[in-house]
Structures are given as C-alpha cells and as structure tokens.
Short mmCIF file of all heavy atoms in Angstrom, two decimals:
data_model
loop_
_atom_site.label_atom_id
_atom_site.label_comp_id
_atom_site.label_asym_id
_atom_site.label_seq_id
_atom_site.Cartn_x
_atom_site.Cartn_y
_atom_site.Cartn_z
N MET A 1 -14.98 1.77 15.94
CA MET A 1 -14.57 0.45 16.47
C MET A 1 -14.34 -0.43 15.25
O MET A 1 -15.26 -0.62 14.41
CB MET A 1 -15.63 -0.11 17.30
CG MET A 1 -15.13 -1.11 18.26
SD MET A 1 -14.14 -0.30 19.48
CE MET A 1 -13.81 -1.56 20.56
N PRO A 2 -13.10 -0.91 15.08
CA PRO A 2 -12.82 -1.79 13.82
C PRO A 2 -13.78 -2.92 13.65
O PRO A 2 -14.16 -3.32 12.57
CB PRO A 2 -11.40 -2.26 14.12
CG PRO A 2 -10.80 -1.24 15.06
CD PRO A 2 -11.99 -0.71 15.93
N CYS A 3 -14.27 -3.65 14.78
CA CYS A 3 -15.06 -4.81 14.58
C CYS A 3 -16.44 -4.42 13.82
O CYS A 3 -16.88 -5.16 12.99
CB CYS A 3 -15.39 -5.50 15.84
SG CYS A 3 -15.02 -4.67 17.30
N ARG A 4 -16.96 -3.28 14.12
CA ARG A 4 -18.20 -2.84 13.44
C ARG A 4 -17.89 -2.58 11.95
O ARG A 4 -18.69 -2.94 11.07
CB ARG A 4 -18.69 -1.57 13.94
CG ARG A 4 -19.25 -1.72 15.35
CD ARG A 4 -19.95 -0.46 15.81
NE ARG A 4 -20.02 -0.47 17.29
CZ ARG A 4 -19.94 0.61 18.08
NH1 ARG A 4 -19.74 1.81 17.54
NH2 ARG A 4 -20.07 0.47 19.39
N VAL A 5 -16.80 -2.03 11.65
CA VAL A 5 -16.44 -1.86 10.23
C VAL A 5 -16.23 -3.12 9.48
O VAL A 5 -16.63 -3.31 8.38
CB VAL A 5 -15.14 -0.94 10.18
CG1 VAL A 5 -14.64 -0.84 8.74
CG2 VAL A 5 -15.38 0.36 10.75
N LEU A 6 -15.58 -4.05 10.10
CA LEU A 6 -15.33 -5.39 9.47
C LEU A 6 -16.61 -6.27 9.26
O LEU A 6 -16.63 -7.05 8.42
CB LEU A 6 -14.28 -6.20 10.25
CG LEU A 6 -12.98 -5.55 10.33
CD1 LEU A 6 -12.02 -6.30 11.20
CD2 LEU A 6 -12.32 -5.39 8.91
N ALA A 7 -17.64 -6.01 10.08
CA ALA A 7 -18.83 -6.83 10.11
C ALA A 7 -19.81 -6.48 9.00
O ALA A 7 -20.53 -7.29 8.69
CB ALA A 7 -19.51 -6.77 11.44
N GLN A 8 -19.76 -5.27 8.53
CA GLN A 8 -20.70 -4.86 7.47
C GLN A 8 -20.07 -3.92 6.50
O GLN A 8 -19.08 -3.34 6.83
CB GLN A 8 -21.90 -4.13 8.16
CG GLN A 8 -21.59 -2.87 8.85
CD GLN A 8 -22.77 -2.25 9.53
OE1 GLN A 8 -23.80 -2.92 9.66
NE2 GLN A 8 -22.52 -1.07 10.02
N TYR A 9 -20.55 -3.88 5.31
CA TYR A 9 -20.06 -3.03 4.25
C TYR A 9 -20.44 -1.54 4.47
O TYR A 9 -21.61 -1.31 4.79
CB TYR A 9 -20.47 -3.48 2.84
CG TYR A 9 -19.83 -2.58 1.81
CD1 TYR A 9 -18.53 -2.66 1.41
CD2 TYR A 9 -20.58 -1.50 1.28
CE1 TYR A 9 -18.01 -1.82 0.50
CE2 TYR A 9 -20.04 -0.61 0.41
CZ TYR A 9 -18.67 -0.78 -0.06
OH TYR A 9 -18.24 0.11 -0.88
N CYS A 10 -19.52 -0.61 4.28
CA CYS A 10 -19.90 0.75 4.29
C CYS A 10 -18.90 1.39 3.28
O CYS A 10 -17.81 1.02 3.13
CB CYS A 10 -19.67 1.39 5.67
SG CYS A 10 -18.07 1.14 6.44
N ALA A 11 -19.36 2.42 2.58
CA ALA A 11 -18.57 2.98 1.51
C ALA A 11 -17.47 3.89 2.09
O ALA A 11 -16.45 4.11 1.54
CB ALA A 11 -19.46 3.90 0.60
N MET A 12 -17.71 4.47 3.34
CA MET A 12 -16.75 5.25 3.98
C MET A 12 -16.57 4.84 5.35
O MET A 12 -17.65 4.61 6.12
CB MET A 12 -17.10 6.72 3.79
CG MET A 12 -16.11 7.67 4.53
SD MET A 12 -16.47 9.40 4.36
CE MET A 12 -15.35 10.06 5.37
N CYS A 13 -15.37 4.82 5.83
CA CYS A 13 -15.14 4.51 7.32
C CYS A 13 -14.37 5.65 7.98
O CYS A 13 -13.51 6.21 7.42
CB CYS A 13 -14.22 3.28 7.40
SG CYS A 13 -15.02 1.84 6.65
N ALA A 14 -14.75 6.05 9.15
CA ALA A 14 -14.09 6.92 9.96
C ALA A 14 -13.61 6.30 11.25
O ALA A 14 -14.42 5.72 12.02
CB ALA A 14 -15.00 8.14 10.30
N LEU A 15 -12.25 6.32 11.50
CA LEU A 15 -11.73 5.64 12.53
C LEU A 15 -10.95 6.68 13.46
O LEU A 15 -10.07 7.33 12.94
CB LEU A 15 -10.70 4.57 12.19
CG LEU A 15 -11.31 3.48 11.22
CD1 LEU A 15 -10.15 2.59 10.70
CD2 LEU A 15 -12.35 2.65 11.91
N GLU A 16 -11.39 6.83 14.66
CA GLU A 16 -10.75 7.78 15.51
C GLU A 16 -10.01 7.03 16.64
O GLU A 16 -10.68 6.31 17.53
CB GLU A 16 -11.71 8.70 16.14
CG GLU A 16 -11.16 9.69 17.14
CD GLU A 16 -12.10 10.59 17.83
OE1 GLU A 16 -13.31 10.45 17.58
OE2 GLU A 16 -11.74 11.45 18.56
N GLN A 17 -8.69 7.17 16.66
CA GLN A 17 -7.91 6.46 17.65
C GLN A 17 -8.18 5.01 17.72
O GLN A 17 -8.26 4.48 18.91
CB GLN A 17 -8.07 7.16 19.02
CG GLN A 17 -7.55 8.58 19.08
CD GLN A 17 -6.03 8.71 18.82
OE1 GLN A 17 -5.27 7.80 19.17
NE2 GLN A 17 -5.67 9.82 18.19
N ALA A 18 -8.34 4.36 16.67
CA ALA A 18 -8.71 2.93 16.53
C ALA A 18 -7.80 2.00 17.32
O ALA A 18 -8.28 0.98 17.80
CB ALA A 18 -8.89 2.50 15.15
N THR A 19 -6.49 2.32 17.37
CA THR A 19 -5.59 1.52 18.02
C THR A 19 -4.85 2.05 19.24
O THR A 19 -3.80 1.60 19.68
CB THR A 19 -4.60 0.91 17.04
OG1 THR A 19 -3.88 1.99 16.45
CG2 THR A 19 -5.25 0.11 15.92
N SER A 20 -5.39 3.14 19.71
CA SER A 20 -4.58 3.95 20.72
C SER A 20 -4.34 3.28 22.07
O SER A 20 -3.34 3.48 22.71
CB SER A 20 -5.24 5.28 20.96
OG SER A 20 -6.51 5.08 21.52
N ALA A 21 -5.25 2.31 22.43
CA ALA A 21 -5.21 1.67 23.75
C ALA A 21 -4.61 0.21 23.50
O ALA A 21 -4.69 -0.53 24.56
CB ALA A 21 -6.53 1.65 24.41
N LEU A 22 -4.06 -0.10 22.43
CA LEU A 22 -3.62 -1.52 22.16
C LEU A 22 -2.13 -1.66 22.33
O LEU A 22 -1.40 -0.74 22.14
CB LEU A 22 -3.99 -1.93 20.83
CG LEU A 22 -5.52 -1.86 20.44
CD1 LEU A 22 -5.71 -2.19 18.97
CD2 LEU A 22 -6.28 -2.73 21.34
N ASP A 23 -1.64 -2.85 22.66
CA ASP A 23 -0.34 -3.11 22.58
C ASP A 23 0.15 -3.27 21.21
O ASP A 23 -0.66 -3.32 20.26
CB ASP A 23 0.01 -4.40 23.36
CG ASP A 23 -0.75 -5.54 22.79
OD1 ASP A 23 -1.84 -5.95 23.11
OD2 ASP A 23 -0.11 -6.25 21.90
N THR A 24 1.42 -3.23 20.98
CA THR A 24 2.02 -3.18 19.56
C THR A 24 1.64 -4.45 18.87
O THR A 24 1.27 -4.26 17.59
CB THR A 24 3.52 -3.13 19.71
OG1 THR A 24 3.93 -2.01 20.50
CG2 THR A 24 4.13 -2.94 18.34
N LEU A 25 1.56 -5.63 19.34
CA LEU A 25 1.26 -6.86 18.60
C LEU A 25 -0.21 -6.80 18.17
O LEU A 25 -0.47 -7.11 16.99
CB LEU A 25 1.52 -8.07 19.45
CG LEU A 25 1.19 -9.48 18.81
CD1 LEU A 25 2.08 -9.60 17.59
CD2 LEU A 25 1.47 -10.62 19.81
N THR A 26 -1.07 -6.51 19.04
CA THR A 26 -2.50 -6.35 18.68
C THR A 26 -2.79 -5.30 17.71
O THR A 26 -3.52 -5.48 16.69
CB THR A 26 -3.34 -6.16 19.94
OG1 THR A 26 -3.17 -7.12 20.94
CG2 THR A 26 -4.79 -6.17 19.64
N GLU A 27 -2.14 -4.15 17.87
CA GLU A 27 -2.22 -3.05 16.88
C GLU A 27 -1.72 -3.58 15.47
O GLU A 27 -2.49 -3.29 14.45
CB GLU A 27 -1.31 -1.87 17.24
CG GLU A 27 -1.38 -0.73 16.26
CD GLU A 27 -0.37 0.36 16.57
OE1 GLU A 27 0.45 0.25 17.45
OE2 GLU A 27 -0.49 1.41 15.78
N ARG A 28 -0.76 -4.28 15.38
CA ARG A 28 -0.24 -4.86 14.05
C ARG A 28 -1.30 -5.76 13.41
O ARG A 28 -1.49 -5.72 12.28
CB ARG A 28 1.06 -5.55 14.21
CG ARG A 28 2.23 -4.64 14.46
CD ARG A 28 3.57 -5.34 14.56
NE ARG A 28 4.64 -4.43 14.85
CZ ARG A 28 5.69 -4.84 15.53
NH1 ARG A 28 5.92 -6.10 15.82
NH2 ARG A 28 6.66 -3.91 15.82
N LYS A 29 -1.82 -6.56 14.19
CA LYS A 29 -2.94 -7.50 13.70
C LYS A 29 -4.08 -6.70 13.21
O LYS A 29 -4.60 -7.05 12.15
CB LYS A 29 -3.38 -8.40 14.85
CG LYS A 29 -2.31 -9.53 15.17
CD LYS A 29 -2.81 -10.33 16.22
CE LYS A 29 -1.75 -11.39 16.64
NZ LYS A 29 -2.21 -12.26 17.76
N ILE A 30 -4.57 -5.65 13.89
CA ILE A 30 -5.71 -4.93 13.52
C ILE A 30 -5.31 -4.12 12.28
O ILE A 30 -6.05 -4.00 11.35
CB ILE A 30 -6.27 -3.90 14.59
CG1 ILE A 30 -6.89 -4.81 15.59
CG2 ILE A 30 -7.13 -2.91 14.06
CD1 ILE A 30 -7.39 -4.09 16.94
N GLN A 31 -4.14 -3.55 12.28
CA GLN A 31 -3.63 -2.74 10.98
C GLN A 31 -3.68 -3.68 9.79
O GLN A 31 -3.97 -3.22 8.71
CB GLN A 31 -2.31 -2.25 11.25
CG GLN A 31 -2.18 -1.02 12.26
CD GLN A 31 -3.11 0.18 11.86
OE1 GLN A 31 -3.53 0.32 10.74
NE2 GLN A 31 -3.38 1.03 12.91
N ALA A 32 -3.31 -4.89 9.93
CA ALA A 32 -3.25 -5.79 8.80
C ALA A 32 -4.69 -5.99 8.20
O ALA A 32 -4.90 -6.14 7.05
CB ALA A 32 -2.65 -7.11 9.10
N ALA A 33 -5.65 -6.26 9.17
CA ALA A 33 -7.01 -6.47 8.75
C ALA A 33 -7.54 -5.12 8.03
O ALA A 33 -8.27 -5.18 7.09
CB ALA A 33 -7.88 -6.87 9.94
N LEU A 34 -7.28 -3.95 8.62
CA LEU A 34 -7.75 -2.77 8.13
C LEU A 34 -7.02 -2.35 6.76
O LEU A 34 -7.68 -1.67 6.00
CB LEU A 34 -7.50 -1.59 9.08
CG LEU A 34 -8.33 -1.59 10.35
CD1 LEU A 34 -7.94 -0.54 11.30
CD2 LEU A 34 -9.82 -1.54 10.02
N HIS A 35 -5.91 -2.93 6.58
CA HIS A 35 -5.21 -2.62 5.30
C HIS A 35 -5.97 -3.08 4.04
O HIS A 35 -6.18 -2.32 3.13
CB HIS A 35 -3.81 -3.22 5.22
CG HIS A 35 -3.01 -2.99 4.04
ND1 HIS A 35 -2.42 -1.82 3.72
CD2 HIS A 35 -2.76 -3.72 2.92
CE1 HIS A 35 -1.93 -1.82 2.62
NE2 HIS A 35 -1.98 -3.05 2.04
N SER A 36 -6.52 -4.30 4.12
CA SER A 36 -7.29 -4.78 2.98
C SER A 36 -8.66 -4.09 2.97
O SER A 36 -9.13 -3.78 1.94
CB SER A 36 -7.52 -6.34 3.09
OG SER A 36 -8.23 -6.61 4.30
N LEU A 37 -9.18 -3.70 4.09
CA LEU A 37 -10.52 -3.05 4.13
C LEU A 37 -10.37 -1.71 3.48
O LEU A 37 -11.26 -1.23 2.73
CB LEU A 37 -10.92 -2.78 5.59
CG LEU A 37 -12.15 -2.01 5.78
CD1 LEU A 37 -13.31 -2.95 5.98
CD2 LEU A 37 -11.98 -1.28 7.05
N ARG A 38 -9.20 -0.97 3.67
CA ARG A 38 -9.06 0.41 3.09
C ARG A 38 -8.94 0.33 1.58
O ARG A 38 -9.10 1.39 0.96
CB ARG A 38 -7.90 1.02 3.72
CG ARG A 38 -8.07 1.34 5.23
CD ARG A 38 -6.94 2.29 5.76
NE ARG A 38 -5.66 1.86 5.35
CZ ARG A 38 -4.83 1.22 6.23
NH1 ARG A 38 -5.20 0.83 7.41
NH2 ARG A 38 -3.59 0.93 5.77
N LYS A 39 -8.71 -0.72 1.01
CA LYS A 39 -8.54 -0.79 -0.53
C LYS A 39 -9.93 -0.62 -1.16
O LYS A 39 -9.89 -0.12 -2.35
CB LYS A 39 -7.94 -2.17 -0.88
CG LYS A 39 -6.53 -2.34 -0.53
CD LYS A 39 -6.07 -3.73 -0.97
CE LYS A 39 -4.57 -3.89 -0.56
NZ LYS A 39 -4.02 -5.23 -0.92
N THR A 40 -11.05 -0.87 -0.55
CA THR A 40 -12.35 -0.75 -1.12
C THR A 40 -13.19 0.32 -0.51
O THR A 40 -14.28 0.37 -0.90
CB THR A 40 -12.97 -2.18 -1.08
OG1 THR A 40 -13.21 -2.50 0.38
CG2 THR A 40 -12.29 -3.21 -1.81
N ARG A 41 -12.65 1.04 0.40
CA ARG A 41 -13.44 2.14 1.00
C ARG A 41 -12.67 3.41 1.16
O ARG A 41 -11.40 3.37 1.33
CB ARG A 41 -13.89 1.54 2.44
CG ARG A 41 -14.89 0.46 2.36
CD ARG A 41 -14.88 -0.23 3.78
NE ARG A 41 -15.87 -1.17 3.90
CZ ARG A 41 -15.73 -2.52 3.61
NH1 ARG A 41 -14.52 -2.76 3.15
NH2 ARG A 41 -16.64 -3.31 3.65
N THR A 42 -13.32 4.51 1.25
CA THR A 42 -12.68 5.72 1.57
C THR A 42 -12.58 5.71 3.11
O THR A 42 -13.56 5.41 3.79
CB THR A 42 -13.50 6.91 1.20
OG1 THR A 42 -13.66 6.92 -0.19
CG2 THR A 42 -12.90 8.20 1.61
N THR A 43 -11.35 6.00 3.67
CA THR A 43 -11.16 5.84 5.01
C THR A 43 -10.51 7.12 5.68
O THR A 43 -9.49 7.59 5.06
CB THR A 43 -10.24 4.63 5.47
OG1 THR A 43 -10.78 3.52 4.73
CG2 THR A 43 -10.19 4.41 6.84
N LEU A 44 -11.13 7.72 6.74
CA LEU A 44 -10.61 8.75 7.41
C LEU A 44 -10.15 8.28 8.80
O LEU A 44 -10.94 7.73 9.49
CB LEU A 44 -11.68 9.92 7.61
CG LEU A 44 -11.26 11.05 8.51
CD1 LEU A 44 -10.16 11.91 7.76
CD2 LEU A 44 -12.50 11.86 8.79
N ILE A 45 -8.87 8.51 9.01
CA ILE A 45 -8.30 7.97 10.29
C ILE A 45 -7.67 9.13 11.07
O ILE A 45 -6.87 9.88 10.55
CB ILE A 45 -7.17 6.98 10.03
CG1 ILE A 45 -7.66 5.80 9.17
CG2 ILE A 45 -6.56 6.49 11.38
CD1 ILE A 45 -6.64 4.83 8.81
N VAL A 46 -8.13 9.28 12.35
CA VAL A 46 -7.65 10.31 13.24
C VAL A 46 -6.73 9.49 14.17
O VAL A 46 -7.20 8.57 14.83
CB VAL A 46 -8.76 10.96 14.04
CG1 VAL A 46 -8.22 12.00 15.01
CG2 VAL A 46 -9.69 11.70 13.04
N ALA A 47 -5.46 9.92 14.26
CA ALA A 47 -4.48 9.12 15.09
C ALA A 47 -3.43 10.00 15.65
O ALA A 47 -3.06 11.02 15.02
CB ALA A 47 -3.89 8.08 14.23
N HIS A 48 -2.85 9.59 16.64
CA HIS A 48 -1.61 10.27 17.19
C HIS A 48 -0.42 9.41 16.93
O HIS A 48 0.72 10.03 16.80
CB HIS A 48 -1.63 10.40 18.83
CG HIS A 48 -2.67 11.31 19.16
ND1 HIS A 48 -3.75 11.06 20.06
CD2 HIS A 48 -2.88 12.66 18.93
CE1 HIS A 48 -4.51 12.18 20.23
NE2 HIS A 48 -3.95 13.09 19.55
N ARG A 49 -0.52 8.14 16.68
CA ARG A 49 0.56 7.29 16.45
C ARG A 49 0.91 7.30 14.90
O ARG A 49 0.01 7.10 14.12
CB ARG A 49 0.38 5.81 16.82
CG ARG A 49 0.25 5.63 18.23
CD ARG A 49 0.13 4.14 18.40
NE ARG A 49 -0.03 3.75 19.78
CZ ARG A 49 -0.37 2.56 20.24
NH1 ARG A 49 -0.43 1.53 19.34
NH2 ARG A 49 -0.52 2.36 21.56
N LEU A 50 2.10 7.58 14.47
CA LEU A 50 2.45 7.52 13.10
C LEU A 50 2.31 6.12 12.46
O LEU A 50 1.90 6.03 11.35
CB LEU A 50 3.91 7.99 12.96
CG LEU A 50 4.51 7.99 11.46
CD1 LEU A 50 3.68 8.90 10.64
CD2 LEU A 50 5.98 8.47 11.46
N SER A 51 2.52 5.12 13.30
CA SER A 51 2.44 3.72 12.83
C SER A 51 0.97 3.39 12.31
O SER A 51 0.79 2.58 11.47
CB SER A 51 2.75 2.73 13.88
OG SER A 51 1.90 2.80 15.04
N THR A 52 0.02 4.19 12.84
CA THR A 52 -1.43 3.96 12.41
C THR A 52 -1.68 4.45 11.02
O THR A 52 -2.50 4.08 10.32
CB THR A 52 -2.34 4.68 13.41
OG1 THR A 52 -2.09 4.17 14.79
CG2 THR A 52 -3.78 4.42 13.12
N ILE A 53 -0.93 5.56 10.51
CA ILE A 53 -1.21 6.19 9.29
C ILE A 53 -0.05 6.07 8.32
O ILE A 53 -0.16 6.73 7.32
CB ILE A 53 -1.60 7.65 9.47
CG1 ILE A 53 -0.53 8.43 10.22
CG2 ILE A 53 -2.94 7.84 10.24
CD1 ILE A 53 -0.69 9.91 10.23
N VAL A 54 0.92 5.37 8.61
CA VAL A 54 2.14 5.34 7.78
C VAL A 54 1.93 5.01 6.35
O VAL A 54 2.65 5.51 5.40
CB VAL A 54 3.26 4.40 8.47
CG1 VAL A 54 2.92 2.99 8.30
CG2 VAL A 54 4.59 4.75 7.88
N ASP A 55 0.99 4.13 6.03
CA ASP A 55 0.78 3.75 4.62
C ASP A 55 -0.53 4.59 4.02
O ASP A 55 -0.99 4.17 2.85
CB ASP A 55 0.52 2.26 4.43
CG ASP A 55 -0.69 1.79 5.22
OD1 ASP A 55 -1.19 2.50 6.10
OD2 ASP A 55 -1.06 0.66 4.94
N ALA A 56 -0.87 5.68 4.59
CA ALA A 56 -1.94 6.45 4.07
C ALA A 56 -1.56 7.17 2.73
O ALA A 56 -0.41 7.45 2.57
CB ALA A 56 -2.40 7.57 5.16
N ASN A 57 -2.52 7.41 1.87
CA ASN A 57 -2.30 8.10 0.64
C ASN A 57 -2.09 9.60 0.85
O ASN A 57 -1.19 10.26 0.25
CB ASN A 57 -3.46 7.89 -0.34
CG ASN A 57 -3.52 6.60 -0.82
OD1 ASN A 57 -2.58 5.89 -0.94
ND2 ASN A 57 -4.82 6.16 -1.16
N ILE A 58 -2.87 10.11 1.86
CA ILE A 58 -2.77 11.55 2.23
C ILE A 58 -2.70 11.72 3.69
O ILE A 58 -3.48 11.11 4.34
CB ILE A 58 -3.95 12.40 1.60
CG1 ILE A 58 -3.99 12.29 0.12
CG2 ILE A 58 -3.82 13.88 2.13
CD1 ILE A 58 -5.22 12.94 -0.43
N ILE A 59 -1.74 12.46 4.23
CA ILE A 59 -1.67 12.78 5.72
C ILE A 59 -1.72 14.20 5.87
O ILE A 59 -0.95 15.04 5.31
CB ILE A 59 -0.29 12.19 6.25
CG1 ILE A 59 -0.22 10.62 6.09
CG2 ILE A 59 -0.17 12.59 7.77
CD1 ILE A 59 1.13 10.06 6.47
N ALA A 60 -2.73 14.62 6.70
CA ALA A 60 -2.88 16.04 7.07
C ALA A 60 -2.52 16.21 8.54
O ALA A 60 -2.94 15.42 9.37
CB ALA A 60 -4.32 16.46 6.90
N VAL A 61 -1.75 17.20 8.84
CA VAL A 61 -1.23 17.51 10.15
C VAL A 61 -1.89 18.72 10.62
O VAL A 61 -1.74 19.81 9.97
CB VAL A 61 0.29 17.54 10.24
CG1 VAL A 61 0.79 17.83 11.65
CG2 VAL A 61 0.92 16.23 9.69
N LEU A 62 -2.50 18.70 11.84
CA LEU A 62 -3.08 19.86 12.44
C LEU A 62 -2.07 20.33 13.54
O LEU A 62 -1.68 19.60 14.42
CB LEU A 62 -4.49 19.53 13.07
CG LEU A 62 -5.51 19.08 12.05
CD1 LEU A 62 -6.85 18.86 12.79
CD2 LEU A 62 -5.72 20.08 10.96
N HIS A 63 -1.87 21.66 13.48
CA HIS A 63 -1.00 22.13 14.50
C HIS A 63 -1.69 23.16 15.30
O HIS A 63 -2.35 24.04 14.74
CB HIS A 63 0.32 22.83 13.85
CG HIS A 63 1.26 23.48 14.80
ND1 HIS A 63 1.99 22.69 15.61
CD2 HIS A 63 1.57 24.73 14.95
CE1 HIS A 63 2.79 23.50 16.36
NE2 HIS A 63 2.51 24.72 16.01
N LEU A 64 -1.63 23.10 16.59
CA LEU A 64 -2.32 23.99 17.58
C LEU A 64 -3.83 24.01 17.32
O LEU A 64 -4.46 25.08 17.22
CB LEU A 64 -1.70 25.37 17.47
CG LEU A 64 -0.22 25.47 17.95
CD1 LEU A 64 0.25 26.88 17.70
CD2 LEU A 64 -0.12 25.01 19.39
N GLY A 65 -4.43 22.92 16.92
CA GLY A 65 -5.89 22.81 16.75
C GLY A 65 -6.34 23.21 15.37
O GLY A 65 -7.60 23.26 15.26
N GLY A 66 -5.66 23.44 14.46
CA GLY A 66 -6.20 23.87 13.21
C GLY A 66 -5.35 24.15 12.09
O GLY A 66 -5.58 24.47 11.00
#
C-alpha cells in the first residue's frame, strides 16, 4: 500500500499491483509521489500495466509463470 511506504522510511519497498484498481487520474497522482520515493530506495514493483513501470531502470517480463 503506497500510504504505508510514504509514511515511514524503509530502505527497500515492494509494491504489488499498487495502482491496479485506480482510475487513470488517481494512478498518475500516486505515480508522481512514488517517483520521488524511488530515488532514495530500492523498489520492486509487480504490475500488469505498463504505465506503472514505464520509468523503471530494469524491467523483467515473466512468460507463462516463469
């Protein structure tokens, strides 16, 4: 949940489908907040939407589960 990540410092963040149930406008607002957060933390993001990971340094794609 992004709000837990933003409320306290952690060296690594894992976000799974952080914006999957959001409308486009709300997703953009959360992505903007997470963008600055990711500059100071290692972040692992699991996502189906390309818009969620478009500015990632490394993108790994799993095909057929592995």
Side-chain angles (χ1 to χ4, degrees):
M1 204 69 175
C3 16
R4 288 186 201 148
V5 172
L6 296 174
Q8 63 185 10
Y9 179 80
C10 56
M12 181 177 171
C13 300
L15 305 172
E16 180 182 1
Q17 295 297 330
T19 60
S20 64
L22 301 177
D23 60 273
T24 305
L25 180 61
T26 305
E27 178 187 8
R28 286 182 187 154
K29 290 178 181 179
I30 290 177
Q31 290 299 344
L34 290 175
H35 181 74
S36 61
L37 175 94
R38 290 192 315 259
K39 291 180 182 179
T40 59
R41 294 167 175 87
T42 299
T43 308
L44 172 67
I45 301 172
V46 177
H48 289 123
R49 291 185 186 177
L50 180 59
S51 61
T52 304
I53 59 168
V54 72
D55 63 343
N57 291 331
I58 299 172
I59 298 174
V61 177
L62 299 181
H63 180 67
L64 299 175

